[in-house]
Every structure is written in C-alpha cells, then in structure tokens.
Amino acid sequence: MGEKEGGLFYNLESLLQQDFRGVNIAVYALATAGLALSIHKIRPVSKFSKATKVPDHFIQQHAPLKGVYVGVQHSPVRLLINHKAPIYLPFWHSSKPPLPVKLWGVDIVSGNAVNWLDCVAKGKQVTLKPIGRDKDDLVSTVLLHLPQTKTKTVETLDLGQKLVELGFAKASVPQGIKKKSIESQLAPKILSAENRARSYRNGIWSDNLPPIPMYVTYWRKGSQLATELIILSSKKLLQLLAFLSKSALVGGKKLLLLPFNKSPKRIQAT
C-alpha cells in the first residue's frame, strides 16, 4: 500500500512539474510577444528619413516625433527635420538624412521664410505631429521650442501659423475637413493668421494689396498706446495697493504690541 501511495505521489508531482513548465513557457511566450508588439508599436530605435518609413499608426494617432530643425529643401520648399529616435544609435542614425516635412495647410511662397527659419529655428528642438504623406514627404505640423533665458521657460511656436502670420506663406487649407479632427482645429488658426497678415500687409501682402489707409494706421497706434498706458497704470496701482496694505499690516502689529490698558497717546505723554 505504501509503495502504491509513493508511486501515486511521485506521478502527481511529475505531472504538476510538467504543468508548471508548460505554464512558464506560455507566460514567457506571451511576454515575448507583448514586448515585440510594444517595440513594433513604439519603434524606439527607428530614425525616420522618409515619410514611407513612418508607420501608419503613427500618422493615424498623430504620435509626436521629436527632432531638430536643420534647414530647408527647395523646389518645392520642405522643412528638413533631423528626427531623433527615443534610443540613439550613433553609427546607424548619423548616416541617415533628415526627414523632409511639408507643413499642413501652408504653402511657403517667400524667400524671406528661409532666412527667417535659419535665424530663428536652425538647431532648435521641434515636435512633429504627423497628419499624412506626400510621396517621401511627411505632411505634419511643426512646433518649434525656443528656450527663454531670462524667464527660464520655453516658448512654443507653430511654424506653419507663424510663417502665414508674417506673410511668408499662404494658407492652403483643403476642403471637406472632418469635424472633431486635428485638421479642423488647425484650419481656423491658419486662416486667422492669414487674415491678420493681410490686415497688417505683412510680407507678400504689402505688394499684393492696397496700402493701409492713414486713419487705420493712426487708430491702431493710438489703441496700442492706450493699451500700454492702461497696463502701466494698472501695474502702478497694484504696487501702490500692495504698499498700503503692507503699511497697514505693520501698523496693526505695532498697536497689538502696546500694553492693554494704555492708549498710544498716553504712552507718548509719559
């Protein structure tokens, strides 16, 4: 009876060990598959030099891509962005060319845009939000990050909107934009920037539109001066109120330090 029980326990133990091995193998297989799927989705070591290399889900989800602005490609004008992969591999990534980017909803029409970009954006960090492809060019927005040394903050500019506002580019917003999409959020801002450029005759609009009437110029200058005076007066008023409140607080503390049964006049008399 004892030998039978011992054999039974031995067989049961062997069966459990085999089951555990099977479970471990299954767990490792699932973990490996999950890791491979995550790597395929994130692409941590992929540096993109062509739009065709950017995965579809990056474009569909508008996944942000980090990089550095390095220059401009001519005819047609495209921004050249040195894409930075999350994991940098020097010998592999350094040999790849920059990624040509077409600004969504914007056509660069002035040579001054190239000069302005070289002065302001060259060598600076940018963030791309992919929207589509145009052959080997990535259609995207480009957000420029400018560090501010005085305030120790970072100013972010949408290069497409800024170029349109300066009059170095024109709005080229496509028709039939879907509602509640990234395009529907960008289109009004680009059109508003162009309206402002036309209103102030910035860039190309100084030659394509009649001069601004003198009364409009005087009105704008007067409004700007009045706004600056109001802001300056508000700052002075706030400083005065802060000084008065501080003085009142200090005076109140002095009164609290006086003896309870004596008034300030009696103390001065003695």
mmCIF file of all heavy atoms in Angstrom, residues 185-222:
data_model
loop_
_atom_site.group_PDB
_atom_site.id
_atom_site.type_symbol
_atom_site.label_atom_id
_atom_site.label_comp_id
_atom_site.label_asym_id
_atom_site.label_seq_id
_atom_site.Cartn_x
_atom_site.Cartn_y
_atom_site.Cartn_z
ATOM 1 N N GLN A 185 -9.073 71.605 -36.116
ATOM 2 C CA GLN A 185 -8.532 72.513 -35.101
ATOM 3 C C GLN A 185 -7.475 73.444 -35.695
ATOM 4 O O GLN A 185 -7.351 74.594 -35.270
ATOM 5 C CB GLN A 185 -7.924 71.702 -33.962
ATOM 6 C CG GLN A 185 -8.922 70.812 -33.225
ATOM 7 C CD GLN A 185 -8.254 69.915 -32.202
ATOM 8 O OE1 GLN A 185 -7.082 70.064 -31.907
ATOM 9 N NE2 GLN A 185 -9.001 68.967 -31.671
ATOM 10 N N LEU A 186 -6.729 72.955 -36.681
ATOM 11 C CA LEU A 186 -5.657 73.752 -37.263
ATOM 12 C C LEU A 186 -6.171 74.769 -38.280
ATOM 13 O O LEU A 186 -5.642 75.887 -38.361
ATOM 14 C CB LEU A 186 -4.639 72.832 -37.950
ATOM 15 C CG LEU A 186 -3.830 71.904 -37.039
ATOM 16 C CD1 LEU A 186 -3.033 70.914 -37.884
ATOM 17 C CD2 LEU A 186 -2.895 72.709 -36.159
ATOM 18 N N ALA A 187 -7.165 74.393 -39.075
ATOM 19 C CA ALA A 187 -7.621 75.238 -40.178
ATOM 20 C C ALA A 187 -8.033 76.646 -39.727
ATOM 21 O O ALA A 187 -7.568 77.634 -40.321
ATOM 22 C CB ALA A 187 -8.761 74.548 -40.917
ATOM 23 N N PRO A 188 -8.883 76.822 -38.695
ATOM 24 C CA PRO A 188 -9.265 78.186 -38.292
ATOM 25 C C PRO A 188 -8.079 79.034 -37.844
ATOM 26 O O PRO A 188 -8.044 80.241 -38.106
ATOM 27 C CB PRO A 188 -10.247 77.946 -37.130
ATOM 28 C CG PRO A 188 -10.722 76.548 -37.288
ATOM 29 C CD PRO A 188 -9.582 75.802 -37.887
ATOM 30 N N LYS A 189 -7.085 78.421 -37.200
ATOM 31 C CA LYS A 189 -5.923 79.175 -36.738
ATOM 32 C C LYS A 189 -5.080 79.654 -37.918
ATOM 33 O O LYS A 189 -4.573 80.789 -37.911
ATOM 34 C CB LYS A 189 -5.085 78.297 -35.805
ATOM 35 C CG LYS A 189 -5.806 77.910 -34.519
ATOM 36 C CD LYS A 189 -4.937 77.005 -33.659
ATOM 37 C CE LYS A 189 -5.676 76.592 -32.390
ATOM 38 N NZ LYS A 189 -4.861 75.668 -31.551
ATOM 39 N N ILE A 190 -4.918 78.817 -38.933
ATOM 40 C CA ILE A 190 -4.143 79.210 -40.107
ATOM 41 C C ILE A 190 -4.858 80.313 -40.876
ATOM 42 O O ILE A 190 -4.243 81.305 -41.306
ATOM 43 C CB ILE A 190 -3.889 77.989 -41.005
ATOM 44 C CG1 ILE A 190 -2.988 76.980 -40.284
ATOM 45 C CG2 ILE A 190 -3.261 78.404 -42.328
ATOM 46 C CD1 ILE A 190 -2.792 75.684 -41.031
ATOM 47 N N LEU A 191 -6.163 80.186 -41.052
ATOM 48 C CA LEU A 191 -6.935 81.214 -41.753
ATOM 49 C C LEU A 191 -6.941 82.527 -40.981
ATOM 50 O O LEU A 191 -6.861 83.608 -41.577
ATOM 51 C CB LEU A 191 -8.368 80.717 -41.984
ATOM 52 C CG LEU A 191 -8.513 79.506 -42.919
ATOM 53 C CD1 LEU A 191 -9.953 79.032 -42.961
ATOM 54 C CD2 LEU A 191 -8.017 79.851 -44.321
ATOM 55 N N SER A 192 -7.020 82.445 -39.666
ATOM 56 C CA SER A 192 -6.966 83.655 -38.840
ATOM 57 C C SER A 192 -5.603 84.336 -38.960
ATOM 58 O O SER A 192 -5.514 85.574 -39.018
ATOM 59 C CB SER A 192 -7.258 83.299 -37.381
ATOM 60 O OG SER A 192 -7.131 84.432 -36.544
ATOM 61 N N ALA A 193 -4.542 83.535 -39.010
ATOM 62 C CA ALA A 193 -3.198 84.097 -39.171
ATOM 63 C C ALA A 193 -3.062 84.809 -40.519
ATOM 64 O O ALA A 193 -2.440 85.877 -40.607
ATOM 65 C CB ALA A 193 -2.159 82.990 -39.040
ATOM 66 N N GLU A 194 -3.658 84.248 -41.561
ATOM 67 C CA GLU A 194 -3.592 84.897 -42.873
ATOM 68 C C GLU A 194 -4.403 86.189 -42.880
ATOM 69 O O GLU A 194 -3.978 87.195 -43.491
ATOM 70 C CB GLU A 194 -4.087 83.952 -43.962
ATOM 71 C CG GLU A 194 -3.934 84.548 -45.358
ATOM 72 C CD GLU A 194 -4.232 83.547 -46.456
ATOM 73 O OE1 GLU A 194 -5.422 83.391 -46.802
ATOM 74 O OE2 GLU A 194 -3.273 82.931 -46.949
ATOM 75 N N ASN A 195 -5.553 86.194 -42.252
ATOM 76 C CA ASN A 195 -6.355 87.425 -42.169
ATOM 77 C C ASN A 195 -5.580 88.534 -41.461
ATOM 78 O O ASN A 195 -5.640 89.701 -41.855
ATOM 79 C CB ASN A 195 -7.670 87.150 -41.450
ATOM 80 C CG ASN A 195 -8.621 86.305 -42.280
ATOM 81 O OD1 ASN A 195 -8.537 86.293 -43.514
ATOM 82 N ND2 ASN A 195 -9.514 85.587 -41.619
ATOM 83 N N ARG A 196 -4.844 88.169 -40.423
ATOM 84 C CA ARG A 196 -4.043 89.152 -39.700
ATOM 85 C C ARG A 196 -2.905 89.674 -40.588
ATOM 86 O O ARG A 196 -2.623 90.875 -40.609
ATOM 87 C CB ARG A 196 -3.481 88.531 -38.428
ATOM 88 C CG ARG A 196 -2.651 89.502 -37.593
ATOM 89 C CD ARG A 196 -2.223 88.850 -36.282
ATOM 90 N NE ARG A 196 -1.381 89.744 -35.505
ATOM 91 C CZ ARG A 196 -1.823 90.723 -34.732
ATOM 92 N NH1 ARG A 196 -3.133 90.937 -34.617
ATOM 93 N NH2 ARG A 196 -0.986 91.491 -34.060
ATOM 94 N N ALA A 197 -2.258 88.768 -41.332
ATOM 95 C CA ALA A 197 -1.180 89.180 -42.227
ATOM 96 C C ALA A 197 -1.704 90.113 -43.317
ATOM 97 O O ALA A 197 -1.044 91.116 -43.657
ATOM 98 C CB ALA A 197 -0.526 87.954 -42.855
ATOM 99 N N ARG A 198 -2.866 89.817 -43.862
ATOM 100 C CA ARG A 198 -3.461 90.679 -44.882
ATOM 101 C C ARG A 198 -3.852 92.029 -44.284
ATOM 102 O O ARG A 198 -3.660 93.072 -44.922
ATOM 103 C CB ARG A 198 -4.684 89.995 -45.497
ATOM 104 C CG ARG A 198 -4.365 88.748 -46.313
ATOM 105 C CD ARG A 198 -5.635 87.973 -46.647
ATOM 106 N NE ARG A 198 -6.496 88.745 -47.518
ATOM 107 C CZ ARG A 198 -6.531 88.639 -48.835
ATOM 108 N NH1 ARG A 198 -5.738 87.769 -49.447
ATOM 109 N NH2 ARG A 198 -7.344 89.380 -49.556
ATOM 110 N N SER A 199 -4.388 92.006 -43.073
ATOM 111 C CA SER A 199 -4.834 93.243 -42.437
ATOM 112 C C SER A 199 -3.675 94.194 -42.167
ATOM 113 O O SER A 199 -3.813 95.418 -42.310
ATOM 114 C CB SER A 199 -5.558 92.914 -41.132
ATOM 115 O OG SER A 199 -5.939 94.088 -40.449
ATOM 116 N N TYR A 200 -2.522 93.642 -41.786
ATOM 117 C CA TYR A 200 -1.355 94.468 -41.478
ATOM 118 C C TYR A 200 -0.388 94.569 -42.652
ATOM 119 O O TYR A 200 0.688 95.165 -42.506
ATOM 120 C CB TYR A 200 -0.627 93.913 -40.251
ATOM 121 C CG TYR A 200 -1.327 94.229 -38.955
ATOM 122 C CD1 TYR A 200 -2.330 93.403 -38.459
ATOM 123 C CD2 TYR A 200 -1.003 95.365 -38.221
ATOM 124 C CE1 TYR A 200 -2.983 93.700 -37.270
ATOM 125 C CE2 TYR A 200 -1.638 95.669 -37.028
ATOM 126 C CZ TYR A 200 -2.634 94.826 -36.560
ATOM 127 O OH TYR A 200 -3.279 95.127 -35.380
ATOM 128 N N ARG A 201 -0.745 93.970 -43.799
ATOM 129 C CA ARG A 201 0.081 93.998 -45.002
ATOM 130 C C ARG A 201 1.471 93.437 -44.733
ATOM 131 O O ARG A 201 2.486 93.979 -45.165
ATOM 132 C CB ARG A 201 0.199 95.437 -45.543
ATOM 133 C CG ARG A 201 -1.107 96.133 -45.847
ATOM 134 C CD ARG A 201 -1.911 95.404 -46.925
ATOM 135 N NE ARG A 201 -3.028 96.227 -47.388
ATOM 136 C CZ ARG A 201 -4.253 96.215 -46.874
ATOM 137 N NH1 ARG A 201 -4.531 95.397 -45.850
ATOM 138 N NH2 ARG A 201 -5.204 96.985 -47.353
ATOM 139 N N ASN A 202 1.515 92.323 -44.030
ATOM 140 C CA ASN A 202 2.798 91.686 -43.732
ATOM 141 C C ASN A 202 3.298 90.910 -44.940
ATOM 142 O O ASN A 202 2.522 90.287 -45.677
ATOM 143 C CB ASN A 202 2.661 90.727 -42.547
ATOM 144 C CG ASN A 202 2.360 91.447 -41.254
ATOM 145 O OD1 ASN A 202 2.625 92.631 -41.120
ATOM 146 N ND2 ASN A 202 1.807 90.730 -40.290
ATOM 147 N N GLY A 203 4.626 90.925 -45.136
ATOM 148 C CA GLY A 203 5.252 90.091 -46.160
ATOM 149 C C GLY A 203 4.723 90.336 -47.554
ATOM 150 O O GLY A 203 4.693 91.472 -48.052
ATOM 151 N N ILE A 204 4.274 89.266 -48.200
ATOM 152 C CA ILE A 204 3.821 89.338 -49.593
ATOM 153 C C ILE A 204 2.595 90.236 -49.767
ATOM 154 O O ILE A 204 2.351 90.745 -50.865
ATOM 155 C CB ILE A 204 3.504 87.928 -50.130
ATOM 156 C CG1 ILE A 204 2.415 87.264 -49.269
ATOM 157 C CG2 ILE A 204 4.752 87.061 -50.178
ATOM 158 C CD1 ILE A 204 1.909 85.957 -49.823
ATOM 159 N N TRP A 205 1.826 90.454 -48.713
ATOM 160 C CA TRP A 205 0.592 91.230 -48.828
ATOM 161 C C TRP A 205 0.862 92.729 -48.953
ATOM 162 O O TRP A 205 -0.040 93.484 -49.328
ATOM 163 C CB TRP A 205 -0.317 90.960 -47.636
ATOM 164 C CG TRP A 205 -0.616 89.500 -47.476
ATOM 165 C CD1 TRP A 205 -0.198 88.680 -46.481
ATOM 166 C CD2 TRP A 205 -1.374 88.680 -48.359
ATOM 167 N NE1 TRP A 205 -0.639 87.404 -46.675
ATOM 168 C CE2 TRP A 205 -1.375 87.360 -47.828
ATOM 169 C CE3 TRP A 205 -2.056 88.919 -49.557
ATOM 170 C CZ2 TRP A 205 -2.022 86.310 -48.450
ATOM 171 C CZ3 TRP A 205 -2.709 87.858 -50.180
ATOM 172 C CH2 TRP A 205 -2.686 86.570 -49.626
ATOM 173 N N SER A 206 2.084 93.167 -48.652
ATOM 174 C CA SER A 206 2.405 94.588 -48.815
ATOM 175 C C SER A 206 2.419 94.987 -50.291
ATOM 176 O O SER A 206 2.190 96.153 -50.625
ATOM 177 C CB SER A 206 3.776 94.892 -48.193
ATOM 178 O OG SER A 206 4.797 94.145 -48.837
ATOM 179 N N ASP A 207 2.683 94.034 -51.182
ATOM 180 C CA ASP A 207 2.683 94.311 -52.626
ATOM 181 C C ASP A 207 1.390 93.875 -53.304
ATOM 182 O O ASP A 207 1.025 94.431 -54.346
ATOM 183 C CB ASP A 207 3.864 93.599 -53.303
ATOM 184 C CG ASP A 207 5.208 94.094 -52.799
ATOM 185 O OD1 ASP A 207 5.305 95.275 -52.429
ATOM 186 O OD2 ASP A 207 6.155 93.281 -52.750
ATOM 187 N N ASN A 208 0.709 92.889 -52.727
ATOM 188 C CA ASN A 208 -0.475 92.337 -53.382
ATOM 189 C C ASN A 208 -1.766 93.056 -53.013
ATOM 190 O O ASN A 208 -2.792 92.840 -53.666
ATOM 191 C CB ASN A 208 -0.624 90.852 -53.025
ATOM 192 C CG ASN A 208 0.533 90.018 -53.561
ATOM 193 O OD1 ASN A 208 1.227 90.446 -54.471
ATOM 194 N ND2 ASN A 208 0.739 88.842 -52.994
ATOM 195 N N LEU A 209 -1.739 93.907 -51.978
ATOM 196 C CA LEU A 209 -2.943 94.614 -51.533
ATOM 197 C C LEU A 209 -2.671 96.115 -51.483
ATOM 198 O O LEU A 209 -1.512 96.538 -51.360
ATOM 199 C CB LEU A 209 -3.380 94.117 -50.148
ATOM 200 C CG LEU A 209 -3.838 92.652 -50.054
ATOM 201 C CD1 LEU A 209 -4.124 92.276 -48.610
ATOM 202 C CD2 LEU A 209 -5.071 92.414 -50.921
ATOM 203 N N PRO A 210 -3.723 96.946 -51.582
ATOM 204 C CA PRO A 210 -3.532 98.401 -51.484
ATOM 205 C C PRO A 210 -2.964 98.786 -50.119
ATOM 206 O O PRO A 210 -3.122 98.050 -49.136
ATOM 207 C CB PRO A 210 -4.954 98.959 -51.666
ATOM 208 C CG PRO A 210 -5.731 97.857 -52.288
ATOM 209 C CD PRO A 210 -5.121 96.573 -51.831
ATOM 210 N N PRO A 211 -2.290 99.957 -50.029
ATOM 211 C CA PRO A 211 -1.737 100.393 -48.738
ATOM 212 C C PRO A 211 -2.837 100.575 -47.690
ATOM 213 O O PRO A 211 -4.001 100.823 -48.006
ATOM 214 C CB PRO A 211 -1.065 101.734 -49.075
ATOM 215 C CG PRO A 211 -0.859 101.707 -50.554
ATOM 216 C CD PRO A 211 -1.976 100.880 -51.112
ATOM 217 N N ILE A 212 -2.442 100.475 -46.446
ATOM 218 C CA ILE A 212 -3.387 100.676 -45.349
ATOM 219 C C ILE A 212 -3.733 102.157 -45.254
ATOM 220 O O ILE A 212 -2.833 103.012 -45.272
ATOM 221 C CB ILE A 212 -2.776 100.194 -44.013
ATOM 222 C CG1 ILE A 212 -2.392 98.720 -44.105
ATOM 223 C CG2 ILE A 212 -3.725 100.415 -42.856
ATOM 224 C CD1 ILE A 212 -1.653 98.203 -42.898
ATOM 225 N N PRO A 213 -5.021 102.526 -45.156
ATOM 226 C CA PRO A 213 -5.393 103.939 -45.006
ATOM 227 C C PRO A 213 -4.738 104.549 -43.759
ATOM 228 O O PRO A 213 -4.558 103.877 -42.750
ATOM 229 C CB PRO A 213 -6.915 103.890 -44.870
ATOM 230 C CG PRO A 213 -7.310 102.604 -45.527
ATOM 231 C CD PRO A 213 -6.189 101.640 -45.270
ATOM 232 N N MET A 214 -4.439 105.859 -43.844
ATOM 233 C CA MET A 214 -3.729 106.525 -42.755
ATOM 234 C C MET A 214 -4.541 106.509 -41.470
ATOM 235 O O MET A 214 -3.990 106.339 -40.372
ATOM 236 C CB MET A 214 -3.397 107.955 -43.159
ATOM 237 C CG MET A 214 -2.356 108.051 -44.275
ATOM 238 S SD MET A 214 -0.787 107.255 -43.848
ATOM 239 C CE MET A 214 -0.274 108.253 -42.467
ATOM 240 N N TYR A 215 -5.868 106.681 -41.578
ATOM 241 C CA TYR A 215 -6.674 106.732 -40.364
ATOM 242 C C TYR A 215 -6.648 105.387 -39.628
ATOM 243 O O TYR A 215 -6.709 105.335 -38.394
ATOM 244 C CB TYR A 215 -8.114 107.154 -40.681
ATOM 245 C CG TYR A 215 -8.933 106.127 -41.435
ATOM 246 C CD1 TYR A 215 -9.660 105.146 -40.759
ATOM 247 C CD2 TYR A 215 -8.987 106.142 -42.823
ATOM 248 C CE1 TYR A 215 -10.416 104.207 -41.446
ATOM 249 C CE2 TYR A 215 -9.728 105.213 -43.522
ATOM 250 C CZ TYR A 215 -10.447 104.251 -42.833
ATOM 251 O OH TYR A 215 -11.186 103.319 -43.509
ATOM 252 N N VAL A 216 -6.525 104.293 -40.384
ATOM 253 C CA VAL A 216 -6.427 102.973 -39.751
ATOM 254 C C VAL A 216 -5.089 102.846 -39.018
ATOM 255 O O VAL A 216 -5.024 102.327 -37.894
ATOM 256 C CB VAL A 216 -6.575 101.856 -40.801
ATOM 257 C CG1 VAL A 216 -6.355 100.477 -40.162
ATOM 258 C CG2 VAL A 216 -7.940 101.923 -41.465
ATOM 259 N N THR A 217 -4.016 103.347 -39.648
ATOM 260 C CA THR A 217 -2.695 103.296 -39.010
ATOM 261 C C THR A 217 -2.688 104.096 -37.723
ATOM 262 O O THR A 217 -2.192 103.642 -36.684
ATOM 263 C CB THR A 217 -1.627 103.843 -39.974
ATOM 264 O OG1 THR A 217 -1.651 103.078 -41.188
ATOM 265 C CG2 THR A 217 -0.240 103.749 -39.350
ATOM 266 N N TYR A 218 -3.249 105.329 -37.773
ATOM 267 C CA TYR A 218 -3.293 106.160 -36.570
ATOM 268 C C TYR A 218 -4.159 105.526 -35.484
ATOM 269 O O TYR A 218 -3.836 105.582 -34.289
ATOM 270 C CB TYR A 218 -3.825 107.548 -36.911
ATOM 271 C CG TYR A 218 -2.859 108.379 -37.729
ATOM 272 C CD1 TYR A 218 -3.311 109.196 -38.767
ATOM 273 C CD2 TYR A 218 -1.489 108.332 -37.486
ATOM 274 C CE1 TYR A 218 -2.433 109.952 -39.521
ATOM 275 C CE2 TYR A 218 -0.598 109.079 -38.239
ATOM 276 C CZ TYR A 218 -1.071 109.887 -39.253
ATOM 277 O OH TYR A 218 -0.194 110.635 -39.995
ATOM 278 N N TRP A 219 -5.259 104.922 -35.898
ATOM 279 C CA TRP A 219 -6.150 104.275 -34.930
ATOM 280 C C TRP A 219 -5.445 103.115 -34.231
ATOM 281 O O TRP A 219 -5.543 102.949 -33.018
ATOM 282 C CB TRP A 219 -7.411 103.797 -35.627
ATOM 283 C CG TRP A 219 -8.273 102.910 -34.771
ATOM 284 C CD1 TRP A 219 -8.370 101.561 -34.809
ATOM 285 C CD2 TRP A 219 -9.142 103.338 -33.714
ATOM 286 N NE1 TRP A 219 -9.239 101.104 -33.866
ATOM 287 C CE2 TRP A 219 -9.737 102.169 -33.159
ATOM 288 C CE3 TRP A 219 -9.480 104.577 -33.190
ATOM 289 C CZ2 TRP A 219 -10.645 102.229 -32.110
ATOM 290 C CZ3 TRP A 219 -10.393 104.640 -32.139
ATOM 291 C CH2 TRP A 219 -10.960 103.474 -31.615
ATOM 292 N N ARG A 220 -4.714 102.330 -34.996
ATOM 293 C CA ARG A 220 -4.001 101.194 -34.413
ATOM 294 C C ARG A 220 -2.913 101.661 -33.457
ATOM 295 O O ARG A 220 -2.742 101.117 -32.364
ATOM 296 C CB ARG A 220 -3.400 100.334 -35.516
ATOM 297 C CG ARG A 220 -4.435 99.510 -36.278
ATOM 298 C CD ARG A 220 -3.802 98.781 -37.443
ATOM 299 N NE ARG A 220 -4.774 97.927 -38.126
ATOM 300 C CZ ARG A 220 -4.532 97.273 -39.250
ATOM 301 N NH1 ARG A 220 -3.335 97.382 -39.835
ATOM 302 N NH2 ARG A 220 -5.463 96.511 -39.799
ATOM 303 N N LYS A 221 -2.144 102.693 -33.859
ATOM 304 C CA LYS A 221 -1.098 103.197 -32.987
ATOM 305 C C LYS A 221 -1.690 103.785 -31.713
ATOM 306 O O LYS A 221 -1.161 103.598 -30.613
ATOM 307 C CB LYS A 221 -0.267 104.248 -33.723
ATOM 308 C CG LYS A 221 0.618 103.677 -34.825
ATOM 309 C CD LYS A 221 1.460 104.758 -35.476
ATOM 310 C CE LYS A 221 2.383 104.165 -36.535
ATOM 311 N NZ LYS A 221 3.201 105.225 -37.202
ATOM 312 N N GLY A 222 -2.811 104.520 -31.857
ATOM 313 C CA GLY A 222 -3.461 105.090 -30.671
ATOM 314 C C GLY A 222 -3.995 104.010 -29.744
ATOM 315 O O GLY A 222 -3.858 104.107 -28.520
#
